[in-house]
Amino acid sequence: MALSAMLSKKEATLVFWASILCLILSAAFYTYGLHSPSLWFDEGWSWHLARMPIPEMMRATAADRSPFLYYLFLHFWIRIAGESEGALRWPSLAFGVLAVALAVRLADRGWGRPAGAFAALTMALSPFWLYYAQEARMYTMLAAGSLATWGAMEAAIRRPTPRRFAAWALLAAGTALTHYYGLLPMAAMAVGLGLAVRKDPAARRYWGWSLLGLALLVGPWLVFARGRLAQPEAFVRPPTTASAVLAGLAHGFWPGEWTWLPALLLAAAAWTPRPFARRWAALTLGTLALAVIALVGIFPRFALFHPRYLIFLWAFWVLGVAGGAARLGRALAARGGRLGRARSGWVGWLVLLPLWGLLAGPWWAWWTDPHRGRDPYREAVAHVARQIRPGEAALALRANWAVLYYWTRMKVPAPLLIGPEAPVWDEEEVRAWLEEARRAYGPSEGPWRLWLFGWQQEVVDPLGLFEGLLWENGFEVGGQPFGSLWVAYYETWLPFRGRPLTPLRADFEGKIELWGVHLRPPRWPGDGLGVTMAWARVGPVPRPPRMFVHVLDPSGRLVAQRDGPLPNDLVPISGWPLDRPYPVFVRVLLPRDLHGAYTVRVGLYDPESGRRWQARWAGGEGDGVPVGRLERP
């Protein structure tokens, strides 16, 4: 008995220092290259909100996808640490290390000491976790808050006291106010805590008071932000399905093959008589079920879903993987019979070794990527800063605060215009905006050169109004991609005129009509053809079609084309108001050696079957409408 106690004490000391070493290594991993990657769009938004006065920040976050708590924390942090890339990302790193410590503690309590070490190593090797531990966003704070709330719940179950229930309520409120998806694990924990203490009258009272406190802490914010919750986005996506949510989580959490291996470990973790493990299984499955119900049933057309929004499920998943490995280690050791029960769980590393090996490839790719999977905004702004001249300006077409971050830090001697934050549908509004910008920042006469930063510009310019007017009143000198960020260079001249449409009335199966067309011919060999089409929905459109623009030679041979959604998948024509035309601009790339006369033909087709819609117009019918001629000398 004394020898067993001595071994247990030595093992506890060893596990303690091993856990400390894991935390130090995790912090070292997270710190490596923290300042090297550029801030990207989302991180620029964090910087922008954190610099606001607090009342303005509250109003802005009430209209955002996540509440205020992370931005409030960052607001005070940058006043101490500064606004460098590393300083902005330090809170995420700190919460990432805290989450590892909490995971070690919970896994140790649930499945034994080996499980805690396994959890720390699995988190340190996960590219998914490493990415968000180095991003100036709230996701590691959300994961750490969820784990801390779970730990507080376990403490309240073990010894129900008012102080412990109050701590649980405060942590739950903080998690919910970090991200709206944080409401999901909090709801599951509230139910689980109530069921666990249902036989204790005093604990039931504490539980009721803690729920009341949670409602008082979170409820006022939900009322304040009710407009955002009622109308999440100004655009839509196809309805989210349960299979899409599960597939997104599987691919996001586990980048490798052999998905049966983590599934086996999760099942092994749940298959145990320990109450903690049963609560872990109920909490994980309950939170996942709530997420699927919310995304599929309550917000079936919620604009965005990404596995990072459910990063707390990933943290629960890691605990299960670690606990399952410890359980299987004990099962393997029991067959050999030479190890004591206390140490047998360490054999689980044999089970985790192939899993860690499968993570090694994605981990190494992350480690050796200088951009850490992010767009090189710093290089893009530096590219423009080296070439921009007096009298020129730049436009971040979608309000892109990461571009502004580097623009101000590099002290570029030219104005940066911040584009719209909400979708723009009125061409006259865009034309007036460009004219005003030219008067304010451009030369009094002669051409005006405008640099354009484009990233997901279809969100705010679904019809291509900015590009269409810049093409109509000038030309694109050139462009260069920086990851998914596109930098273009336009030369324009005053006055900015609109695009006169040639009237046309073509009916496509009684559902959609083409009311007018304008062709902007190429200005030199190799330049593109600009096509503006006024489309209107005149009837129900169950499934949005795709649009094609074909350029045909006299023999009917296709020489150039442009196919795509109408106008894009964010605002499909199926959701447009009836009998209201909108001008949609597309560019068609042309071969440099075009000579002679060509016909431009426009039509619609079903994206699944490929069947072309039949059209009728004055003087003809068919599966495509001739809308004009293109003549090249």
Side-chain angles (χ1 to χ4, degrees):
M1 187 73 175
L3 178 61
S4 175
M6 185 182 301
L7 288 174
S8 178
K9 185 176 181 180
K10 287 183 177 179
E11 185 185 14
T13 304
L14 178 64
V15 170
F16 172 78
W17 287 111
S19 300
I20 294 297
L21 179 61
C22 285
L23 290 177
I24 294 173
L25 289 176
S26 297
F29 281 144
Y30 303 162
T31 306
Y32 176 76
L34 186 67
H35 65 283
S36 299
S38 300
L39 298 184
W40 72 292
F41 183 90
D42 282 9
E43 292 180 294
W45 179 240
S46 297
W47 167 75
H48 173 62
L49 288 175
R51 296 173 78 236
M52 288 181 176
I54 292 177
E56 184 180 352
M57 177 204 301
M58 293 296 186
R59 291 191 294 270
T61 52
D64 192 33
R65 295 193 186 105
S66 53
F68 65 92
L69 190 59
Y70 169 78
Y71 304 113
L72 185 64
F73 181 88
L74 196 61
H75 172 87
F76 292 107
W77 169 256
I78 62 176
R79 280 150 179 77
I80 301 170
E83 299 182 12
S84 67
E85 293 96 330
L88 288 166
R89 290 169 174 153
W90 259 104
S92 296
L93 184 151
F95 283 115
V97 174
L98 175 61
V100 174
L102 291 168
V104 169
R105 176 68 174 166
L106 288 167
D108 186 350
R109 180 173 296 279
W111 294 276
R113 291 164 183 160
F118 294 160
L121 287 172
T122 303
M123 294 180 86
L125 287 172
S126 170
F128 178 81
W129 182 250
L130 290 170
Y131 181 91
Y132 293 108
Q134 287 196 340
E135 183 171 74
R137 298 291 288 161
M138 74 292 296
Y139 302 114
T140 56
M141 182 177 176
L142 176 63
S146 299
L147 292 173
T149 308
W150 182 11
M153 181 187 77
E154 293 294 326
I157 292 173
R158 288 195 307 274
R159 188 158 64 89
T161 65
R163 182 175 296 179
R164 293 191 174 195
F165 276 89
W168 176 83
L170 285 172
L171 289 169
T175 303
L177 293 175
T178 299
H179 199 288
Y180 290 120
Y181 280 91
L183 291 166
L184 302 176
M186 298 310 104
M189 289 184 202
V191 174
L193 182 57
L195 291 175
V197 301
R198 65 187 184 279
K199 295 181 180 179
D200 185 338
R204 284 203 310 269
R205 288 197 302 273
Y206 303 154
W207 175 72
W209 283 110
S210 67
L211 291 186
L212 178 61
L214 179 61
L216 292 175
L217 289 170
V218 179
W221 175 259
L222 297 180
V223 173
F224 182 60
R226 63 188 181 280
R228 168 64 176 168
L229 298 175
Q231 182 63 41
E233 295 289 353
F235 50 86
V236 299
R237 287 189 186 275
T240 302
T241 63
S243 60
V245 173
L246 296 176
L249 292 174
H251 292 301
F253 293 172
W254 176 245
E257 302 296 331
W258 289 18
T259 53
W260 59 267
L261 180 56
L264 173 65
L265 296 175
L266 294 174
W271 195 263
T272 175
R274 290 190 177 189
F276 179 95
R278 291 200 300 268
R279 285 194 295 271
W280 164 82
L283 173 62
T284 303
L285 292 175
T287 303
L288 177 60
L290 287 174
V292 172
I293 291 170
L295 289 167
V296 177
I298 301 175
F299 296 115
R301 289 189 177 275
F302 194 82
L304 293 173
F305 167 71
H306 192 279
R308 64 177 179 261
Y309 299 153
L310 300 179
I311 196 169
F312 43 79
L313 273 178
W314 181 85
F316 300 163
W317 177 87
V318 167
L319 294 181
V321 167
R327 287 270 299 163
L328 290 178
R330 293 191 184 94
L332 291 173
R335 298 179 66 87
R338 294 185 179 181
L339 292 174
R341 178 175 177 80
R343 289 180 289 167
S344 61
W346 292 102
V347 181
W349 73 269
L350 294 173
V351 181
L352 283 175
L353 195 60
L355 185 148
W356 293 337
L358 290 171
L359 288 176
W363 181 89
W364 182 251
W366 173 87
W367 184 264
T368 55
D369 179 10
H371 300 298
R372 297 291 193 269
R374 297 174 176 87
D375 294 325
Y377 276 67
R378 186 191 300 114
E379 289 81 352
V381 174
H383 169 77
V384 175
R386 286 191 299 267
Q387 302 179 65
I388 199 166
R389 293 177 288 180
E392 299 180 359
L395 165 66
L397 182 49
R398 183 181 181 187
N400 195 322
W401 305 105
V403 172
L404 179 63
Y405 174 84
Y406 288 109
W407 197 269
T408 55
R409 288 180 70 84
M410 295 180 187
K411 300 179 180 179
V412 182
L416 175 67
L417 313 176
I418 298 298
E421 296 184 26
V424 179
W425 297 86
D426 186 357
E427 179 178 301
E428 182 58 29
E429 178 183 344
V430 175
R431 189 187 66 81
W433 190 91
L434 289 172
E435 275 194 344
E436 180 62 29
R438 162 64 184 262
R439 292 193 191 97
Y441 304 109
S444 57
E445 58 183 16
W448 181 45
R449 295 175 178 86
L450 180 68
W451 294 82
L452 188 144
F453 293 92
W455 183 82
Q456 292 189 357
Q457 58 266 29
E458 66 274 9
V459 172
V460 295
D461 189 19
L463 305 178
L465 298 177
F466 278 89
E467 185 180 24
L469 285 170
L470 289 172
W471 266 52
E472 182 66 25
N473 296 279
F475 57 90
E476 183 179 327
V477 179
Q480 181 176 342
F482 291 84
S484 60
L485 179 68
W486 176 258
V487 178
Y489 179 31
Y490 288 89
E491 183 165 305
T492 65
W493 47 81
L494 279 177
F496 276 101
R497 61 179 185 272
R499 296 166 292 179
L501 298 175
T502 301
L504 175 68
R505 203 65 176 248
D507 178 84
F508 287 84
E509 300 185 358
K511 302 174 184 177
I512 298 173
E513 289 184 356
L514 180 61
W515 287 18
V517 175
H518 173 71
L519 301 181
R520 181 273 204 187
R523 303 189 188 279
W524 56 76
D527 191 20
L529 168 68
V531 183
T532 303
M533 299 156 286
W535 294 98
R537 182 173 73 90
V538 296
V541 182
R543 186 165 59 201
R546 295 182 74 84
M547 168 186 63
F548 67 82
V549 179
H550 288 172
V551 180
L552 309 172
D553 67 10
S555 67
R557 182 176 65 90
L558 181 67
V559 298
Q561 71 178 58
R562 171 68 180 266
D563 286 42
L566 178 61
N568 62 49
D569 293 326
L570 298 177
V571 284
I573 194 170
S574 56
W576 290 8
L578 285 171
D579 299 318
R580 181 173 179 181
Y582 290 99
V584 177
F585 173 80
V586 298
R587 64 165 78 181
V588 182
L589 300 179
L590 300 175
R592 297 182 64 87
D593 58 350
L594 283 188
H595 302 285
Y598 300 86
T599 300
V600 180
R601 196 162 175 259
V602 173
L604 304 174
Y605 66 94
D606 184 85
E608 295 187 7
S609 67
R611 182 189 69 86
R612 292 188 180 181
W613 287 28
Q614 295 299 305
R616 296 175 180 271
W617 64 94
E621 61 180 50
D623 60 5
V625 182
V627 297
R629 289 175 60 81
L630 172 64
E631 296 186 359
R632 303 299 298 155

